[in-house]
Amino acid sequence: MTEYEAVIGLEIHAQLQTVSKIFCGCSTAFGAPPNTHVCPVCLGFPGALPVVNRAAVDDGVRAALALGCLINPVSIFARKNYFYPDLPKGYQISQYEQPLASRGLVEFEGPAGPRRVGITRVHLEEDAGKSLHEGFSDSDRKTYVDFNRSGVPLIEIVTEPDLRCAADAAAFFSHLREILVWLEVNDGNMEEGSLRCDANVSVRPAGQATLGTKAEVKNLNSFRFLQRALEHEIDRQIDVLRRGGRVVQETRLWDSSAGVTVSMRSKEEAHDYRYFPEPDLPPVIVDEARLERIRSAMPELPDARRARFAEAYALPSYDASQVTQSRGLADFFEAAVAAGAPAKAAANWMMGELARALKEAGLPIERSPIDPRRLAGLIALIENGTISGAIAKGVFGKMFSSDRSAAEIVESDGLAQIDDDAKIAGPIADVLAKNGDAVAQFRAGKASTLAFLVGQVMKATSGKANPKRVNELLKKALEAGPAGGAG
Ligand SMILES: [Zn+2]
């Protein structure tokens, strides 16, 4: 039986995080009452003139640089003509022949190893409005339209057909999302539609150079949907070919409840877009000075920062990846280390107690009640032996709900570790006297009894005795022979 391989390319639309729309001053905020963020420009009134939002262009350049693209010094807006009720002008302003950027390359970690994907182009465009087909008493007869989204700035990122399986496509999309969110170019919110993915997929006999006929699967708004839709579509196409049929070039939709892709329109019905240069907008110029200004303000990207953390701070790669889940976390980690915390200890606290407490409080790291300097202060008290790890967890809880430092809490609550042997001797004598059985067992050779006795002494001192000293002193007392000659 012929073996087949899949060929996948992605088209990703990402909403840029500008305050205002791409060609007018209307707000881009999500969730406003319908048709309240609109003006003659984004409603396409005759005579209204668009003016390009510089912040949107800069965001597009930042994203394209992070994807390894060449930024074209001159790019041109074009009118993409088609009729649809959510498109008031009858055309969408996009870029066609001369996009903002092209020829990028992205390396990422797929489930089965490192992968590379070429980026064909990154271009700027405006979003359309939103048709509302349900939710109204007359929705069976009417469709409503909300133009708040009309004119919201997008970048479209088009990849080369370099992906070969559904799992790699999902991993790439996830990697791309991480970069865009890290750059603060996109909020990564796929439920609200800020990040959407279409996939072009075809299959061919393994080893064949020419491409098979492709289908486009539209609007895949989660990594899981992308993967499942591609898995299904690849199987479907292979099945068609094995039965001696022909794959039809068409647009398909993912039906997530049925777990299948379904035909939306075939090539014959497809939009035959006509593009014209946009006469109302001048070319977008990104000269050397502007490019340099943007480039020099680019943050270190997540993969690079992860590698540097592992290397410079000798962090295990798991820890390095955990503390670089977001820019906020990575900044927090480096600030804690700069404030004197050993790297591994800082990572442990961030992945453990801090992550738990933030999650419980529903707070992002940027709003952590404990700042990096205070966390470093707590870790310093453990490192220098002032408090034990167990006491530190209690101190952490008090720090989280106050603005006191660890040292202040330890001082005012009398939590400092007891290192003075003379102060530990009393509780040890008490524990030995009260636990005759355990003492006898230890002396009879059951060494594990020691841990129990240490625990009793720690309990008697409210956890404040230095556990190492307790261990040593107990052992000494037990090995010195029976006190009072009882055994
Ligand atoms: Zn407007």
Side-chain angles (χ1 to χ4, degrees):
M1 198 156 56
T2 317
E3 284 304 312
Y4 289 90
E5 72 168 358
V7 176
I8 303 162
L10 302 180
E11 291 175 15
I12 288 141
H13 286 90
Q15 178 179 331
L16 301 175
Q17 279 185 281
T18 55
V19 177
S20 57
K21 294 186 180 181
I22 187 167
F23 300 122
C24 63
C26 292
S27 167
T28 55
F30 181 84
N35 300 309
T36 52
H37 293 169
V38 291
C39 75
V41 173
C42 55
L43 288 175
F45 285 9
L49 287 173
V51 176
V52 73
N53 180 343
R54 285 183 65 87
V57 178
D58 286 355
D59 273 359
V61 171
R62 286 152 59 77
L65 285 174
L67 303 178
C69 292
L70 297 172
I71 308 300
N72 296 319
V74 178
S75 62
I76 307 284
F77 281 111
R79 293 181 174 185
K80 178 180 179 180
N81 291 273
Y82 64 95
F83 176 77
Y84 205 75
D86 63 14
L87 192 67
K89 294 193 293 288
Y91 58 85
Q92 177 192 25
I93 303 179
S94 181
Q95 294 186 312
Y96 186 53
E97 281 174 339
Q98 282 176 262
L100 180 71
S102 42
R103 292 166 58 196
L105 184 69
V106 173
E107 293 180 28
F108 70 101
E109 200 60 33
R115 296 282 184 270
R116 294 153 74 94
V117 171
I119 303 295
T120 314
R121 56 190 278 146
V122 175
H123 70 246
L124 292 162
E125 62 184 30
E126 60 176 342
D127 208 346
K130 189 174 165 55
S131 297
L132 306 166
H133 302 292
E134 47 197 43
F136 299 92
S137 58
D138 51 359
S139 283
D140 56 334
R141 284 169 289 123
K142 290 180 178 170
T143 289
Y144 289 78
V145 63
D146 176 7
F147 289 110
N148 284 349
R149 217 176 62 181
S150 168
V152 161
L154 305 176
I155 44 171
E156 180 173 340
I157 300 162
V158 181
T159 79
E160 292 290 305
D162 289 343
L163 294 154
R164 292 291 174 270
C165 72
D168 280 352
F172 170 78
F173 188 22
S174 167
H175 179 75
L176 187 68
R177 178 182 181 275
E178 180 182 47
I179 290 175
L180 297 177
V181 171
W182 188 276
L183 290 173
E184 292 166 355
V185 153
N186 176 266
D187 68 10
N189 192 329
M190 309 207 296
E191 272 162 35
E192 289 176 6
S194 313
L195 189 63
R196 324 192 272 270
C197 180
D198 303 336
N200 287 304
V201 53
S202 62
V203 298
R204 64 185 173 191
Q208 178 183 299
T210 51
L211 293 169
T213 306
K214 69 180 178 186
E216 183 182 26
V217 187
K218 287 201 93 79
N219 284 329
L220 299 160
N221 64 352
S222 81
F223 307 128
R224 201 167 58 89
F225 286 171
L226 172 63
Q227 181 162 348
R228 288 180 58 208
L230 284 173
E231 281 165 356
H232 172 269
E233 181 59 20
I234 290 164
D235 286 349
R236 187 191 70 83
Q237 292 187 15
I238 291 174
D239 194 51
V240 168
L241 296 179
R242 289 216 165 119
R243 286 162 186 272
R246 229 166 36 84
V247 174
V248 181
Q249 185 172 343
E250 62 184 349
T251 301
R252 298 179 72 87
L253 288 179
W254 169 242
D255 180 340
S256 59
S257 50
V260 298
T261 63
V262 292
S263 181
M264 186 172 126
R265 54 174 182 250
S266 71
K267 196 190 175 193
E268 290 72 49
E269 307 161 54
H271 294 308
D272 188 9
Y273 301 124
R274 294 183 193 283
Y275 286 90
F276 302 107
E278 166 60 67
D280 291 338
L281 285 165
V284 177
I285 309 290
V286 182
D287 58 22
E288 258 318 304
R290 186 175 188 184
L291 194 55
E292 194 41 48
R293 179 176 57 74
I294 297 170
R295 202 195 301 271
S296 62
M298 290 278 285
E300 185 180 21
L301 292 174
D303 279 352
R305 205 158 183 193
R306 214 158 277 155
R308 182 168 63 78
F309 279 12
E311 168 91 24
Y313 300 118
L315 275 187
S317 63
Y318 175 79
D319 297 41
S321 79
Q322 289 300 303
V323 298
T324 51
Q325 288 295 306
S326 74
R327 230 164 112 185
L329 281 167
D331 290 345
F332 190 104
F333 169 79
E334 286 210 289
V337 172
K344 181 59 181 144
N348 285 348
W349 278 91
M350 287 179 65
M351 296 186 294
E353 296 302 308
L354 183 61
R356 220 177 345 262
L358 288 172
K359 194 174 174 203
E360 236 165 65
L363 292 172
I365 187 75
E366 289 81 0
R367 289 176 52 209
S368 169
I370 298 183
D371 66 21
R373 202 178 36 79
R374 286 172 76 218
L375 182 64
L378 174 65
I379 294 171
L381 294 183
I382 308 166
E383 294 288 320
N384 69 19
T386 304
I387 52 175
S388 66
I391 292 284
K393 288 187 181 178
V395 174
F396 177 91
K398 289 176 180 167
M399 290 170 74
F400 200 82
S401 55
S402 75
D403 55 9
R404 290 191 296 164
S405 72
E408 282 164 1
I409 292 167
V410 167
E411 170 73 29
S412 69
D413 296 9
L415 296 173
Q417 182 159 284
I418 305 169
D419 286 317
D420 185 349
D421 287 0
K423 287 183 182 158
I424 304 174
I428 286 181
D430 285 350
V431 165
L432 290 176
K434 279 185 205 152
N435 294 278
D437 287 356
V439 171
Q441 281 174 17
F442 180 85
R443 287 183 180 146
K446 196 176 171 197
S448 61
T449 317
L450 182 62
F452 166 76
L453 293 168
V454 170
Q456 293 304 304
V457 176
M458 293 305 293
K459 209 163 145 189
T461 58
S462 309
K464 289 189 286 185
N466 178 335
K468 203 166 148 235
R469 287 309 295 152
V470 170
N471 203 304
E472 284 165 11
L473 292 172
L474 255 178
K475 225 168 166 181
K476 217 157 113 189
L478 287 163
E479 278 161 4

